Amino acid sequence: MDERGELLERAAALIAAWEGRFGPVEPHPASVPDTDRLEAAWGAFGERMADHYPFFHPRFAGQMLKPPHRVAAAGYLAAMLVNPNNHALDGGPGTTALEVEAVDALADMFGLAQPRLGHLTSSGTIANLEALWVAREMTGGKAVVHSELAHYTHDRMCRVLGVEPRAVAADAHGRLDLDAVEAACRGGDVGTVVLTAGTTGLGAIDRVDEALALRERYGVRLHVDAAYGGFFTLLARGADPLVAGEPFAAIAQCDSVVVDPHKHGLQPYGCGAVLFADPSVAAVYAHESPYTYFVPADLHLGEISLECSRAGAAAAALWLTLQVFPLHAGDGLGPMLAASRRAALDLAARLRSDPGLTLHVEPELDIVTYFPSRPTLSDVDAATERALAVGMADGADPVFLSTIRVAANAFAQLHPGIVRDVDAARVLRSVLMKPEHETNVGDLHARLSRLAEEVSAAG
Ligand SMILES: *Cc1c(COP(=O)(O)O)cnc(C)c1O
């Protein structure tokens, strides 16, 4: 059996031993599956599950997807067999304690001062919703400013909350234009500024450090959406940082921050987190629940969470993972992120000397964007579309890619030689989020080069 199989067996054995303490339970006949149906279902299930891209493989670099670490999977499985609910303390006493410790580790990673407040969520979407909801309550419903390149959830959730979302321009590198933000703040009706530490499209890092002055001048709240990029904070410290240090260091001075352990924290889906610098925002969540809470002296995560039922297994998996891969730069999670970051730098360097492909923007994290070299924007867009179609369609030997739309004015600054005959063009995008990408960059680049030639030859 491989290491994953062993860990999963260990998880099942751990829970079987715990169950054994309470005496045997004979399954009810009605709950025993029919053998033939089970066999048939399992066969059909296997076929359905084959219909996935190989997210685990270093050749897959198309989207922000990878399997959980096998340690996380084992922790999740063990806790899921118990099925605690981290809504209420008596729903999951053990996993609630694990959540408090895991969230503490995340808050320490960002350098948030004690005391602070936070909890896990089922996603970055919900974590951002909570941060924007708290912001609405703390600012009397004033407008929320976000970058046009922020995750689209901010615009949508502002509308859910009945708060005005105001999108402002990003610069050619994909970073929020802080002069435009300041102009918006001067009106006096802006309550919150959303900064993104690692945009989902380009991996651009907004200048959180420079935005701190806006709070001084205009009293706005600062919320950092670090759903994707947050764990790169680990690489921002130290003598030779692999990412820009100042924006990540400034997160500690902001009012709230979101990070997704299910993106760069090795977790299965269902694990986001929201953290608040000021623990008194807990008052915003105040409510009376007549039936869930039996131990009022202790903290109930349900008292500080918008969601009610939440998987205790998500907390267990994160806690176990962080014991084995602590949030350190030099060991634990850091070296895995460093490998991804080096992979992105390596691919960018190779693209810079590739005659058929052009690096779009210098990668700030582990997302690399590039396009087939062409004289006009419409040609770039068409060639990108063909590369995606040809690369992904090659059944036996696909090149996994994604695309992102880039506005013409960004091209004007970064690639002035390209004729801007349309408003925008798609470019190709690779997400090198697995440490194994580091040793696979040469192969990936060779495939991309061949694909560019193929697309070129076809017209
Ligand atoms: C992924 C992402 C989100 C949304 O989070 P989900 O976990 O997918 O719900 C929000 N903001 C950023 C920057 C993201 O990368």
Side-chain angles (χ1 to χ4, degrees), residues 156-245:
R156 184 188 274 172
M157 287 308 179
C158 281
R159 289 187 283 125
V160 168
L161 291 165
V163 172
E164 184 202 338
R166 221 173 278 171
V168 306
D171 68 16
H173 294 92
R175 300 176 201 136
L176 180 62
D177 176 348
L178 289 175
D179 292 335
V181 175
E182 175 143 29
C185 287
R186 279 198 201 98
D189 58 348
V190 172
T192 305
V193 175
V194 174
L195 302 149
T196 306
T199 59
T200 320
L202 297 175
I205 303 168
D206 288 345
R207 294 307 306 233
V208 183
D209 49 327
E210 291 171 16
L212 293 177
L214 296 173
R215 193 178 40 195
E216 302 292 308
R217 278 181 221 139
Y218 305 98
V220 291
R221 276 179 78 82
L222 298 177
H223 169 61
V224 182
D225 181 0
Y228 148 64
F231 286 101
F232 284 96
T233 296
L234 297 173
L235 303 186
R237 302 194 193 117
D240 186 18
L242 279 168
V243 299

Side-chain angles (χ1 to χ4, degrees), residues 66-92:
K66 65 176 178 180
H69 195 279
R70 49 204 179 277
V71 169
Y76 197 99
L77 174 64
M80 185 264 284
L81 290 170
V82 177
N83 206 23
N85 183 342
N86 277 18
H87 178 209
L89 196 48
D90 37 291

